[in-house]
Amino acid sequence: MKAYMKETIDLKEKELFIFDFDGTIADTSHAHETAFCETLHAFDPCINFDYTLYKGMTTKEAFKKIMNDQDLVLKREDLQSLISMKQTLSKKMLKTSVKLLPQFKEFISLLGDKKKCIVSMASKDSIEIVLD
């Protein structure tokens, strides 16, 4: 077994820091999972839903796959309605229940005025809601 040395990185030498959003800056999974569950339950209480199977997909992709996995046919207007309801619920939850991860707050304060960038699959709206 190889022994690994813990390296100290000199942050002063770095010019730009790039971060993923979800799981690094904040954890929004609970908000999205709850919004999906509530939306699906309102549409059809019998739908079986396991968020881990759809995590990381866009809302539209997830609903299409969920309906396909459940052998349900979804009209275009119903899809738009589900997307709208889920996004409304998740935005509300992002505002009220999602906080920046404490480790990130500590780390970001060490960077001072260094350039920072977020690269993420999360929507710009979701990121801005949490950061505000």
Side-chain angles (χ1 to χ4, degrees):
M1 187 152 91
K2 209 175 197 182
Y4 292 95
M5 292 179 55
K6 204 173 196 180
E7 261 185 69
T8 303
I9 299 172
D10 186 0
L11 300 179
K12 292 178 219 154
E13 293 180 15
K14 307 299 179 194
E15 294 180 26
L16 172 67
F17 294 84
I18 301 172
F19 301 96
D20 181 33
F21 180 71
D22 226 333
T24 303
I25 297 173
D27 184 2
T28 64
S29 292
H30 178 70
H32 289 290
E33 181 176 12
T34 302
F36 267 115
C37 286
E38 288 182 20
T39 302
L40 288 167
H41 185 72
F43 178 75
D44 182 344
C46 297
I47 290 178
N48 241 340
F49 178 69
D50 177 358
Y51 181 67
T52 60
L53 300 174
Y54 310 97
K55 189 176 178 178
M57 294 181 177
T58 66
T59 302
K60 184 177 185 176
E61 290 170 344
F63 278 125
K64 284 182 172 183
K65 183 159 177 36
I66 291 164
M67 295 306 157
N68 186 53
D69 292 349
Q70 300 287 317
D71 293 323
L72 296 171
V73 177
L74 191 61
K75 296 179 201 169
R76 174 179 268 149
E77 57 270 14
D78 289 338
L79 176 60
Q80 282 309 120
S81 179
L82 288 172
I83 291 169
S84 178
M85 182 178 177
K86 187 271 177 188
Q87 289 176 338
T88 299
L89 288 169
S90 62
K91 285 177 184 178
K92 181 180 177 185
M93 293 185 70
L94 289 171
K95 284 180 186 177
T96 59
S97 66
V98 175
K99 306 290 182 232
L100 297 181
L101 295 173
Q103 301 86 346
F104 182 76
K105 286 182 186 181
E106 291 172 28
F107 182 71
I108 203 80
S109 69
L110 296 174
L111 302 180
D113 60 353
K114 296 282 187 175
K115 293 179 185 174
K116 301 159 200 79
C117 180
I118 297 172
V119 180
S120 180
M121 291 293 292
S123 73
K124 184 178 178 184
D125 283 349
S126 293
I127 293 170
E128 288 177 344
I129 288 168
V130 174
L131 291 180
D132 281 344

